[in-house]
Amino acid sequence: MAITLEILVQPRASRAKIGPMHDGRLKIAVTAPPVDGEANAAVIELVAKRLGIARSCVEVVAGAGSRRKTLRIDGVTEQQLAELVA
C-alpha cells in the first residue's frame, strides 16, 4: 500500500527534524544543502529511518527542485504515518 505525503523542506537547517505542520504540509528540516539532490536524499533517508523502512520505499514524486514536495511511501500504514506527524 502506497501513501502520498505533502511536505515542505527546509534545507541547511541546524539539525534534522520532522514537524510541525506548515500550510497543510509536514515540515521537514535537513542539514543538507539544496544542491545536486542532496536535500532530497536527506529527506528520503530521514523519513525512512523514522518509519523504520528501507530508503527505496520512499520516493519524491513531485517537486524535486522545489521546497514543496510530494513523497510516495510504500509499506506503511496510516497509523505509522500519524505517528511520524505527531
Side-chain angles (χ1 to χ4, degrees):
M1 175 179 169
I3 296 175
T4 58
L5 178 64
E6 303 289 322
I7 64 168
L8 177 69
V9 177
Q10 178 186 351
R12 289 197 176 123
S14 59
R15 64 186 178 109
K17 69 176 189 171
I18 296 177
M21 295 296 284
H22 186 272
D23 288 337
R25 292 175 179 263
L26 180 62
K27 186 174 181 180
I28 299 180
V30 294
T31 58
V35 179
D36 297 330
E38 289 182 37
N40 289 342
V43 165
I44 289 169
E45 185 172 343
L46 180 61
V47 170
K49 184 177 181 182
R50 289 283 174 88
L51 289 172
I53 58 175
R55 289 180 301 205
S56 61
C57 294
V58 182
E59 177 184 11
V60 176
V61 293
S66 170
R67 292 184 63 204
R68 296 178 179 267
K69 302 180 187 309
T70 302
L71 297 180
R72 179 174 181 258
I73 306 171
D74 291 323
V76 295
T77 64
E78 293 285 339
Q79 177 67 25
Q80 288 173 304
L81 195 58
E83 290 173 6
L84 176 71
V85 174

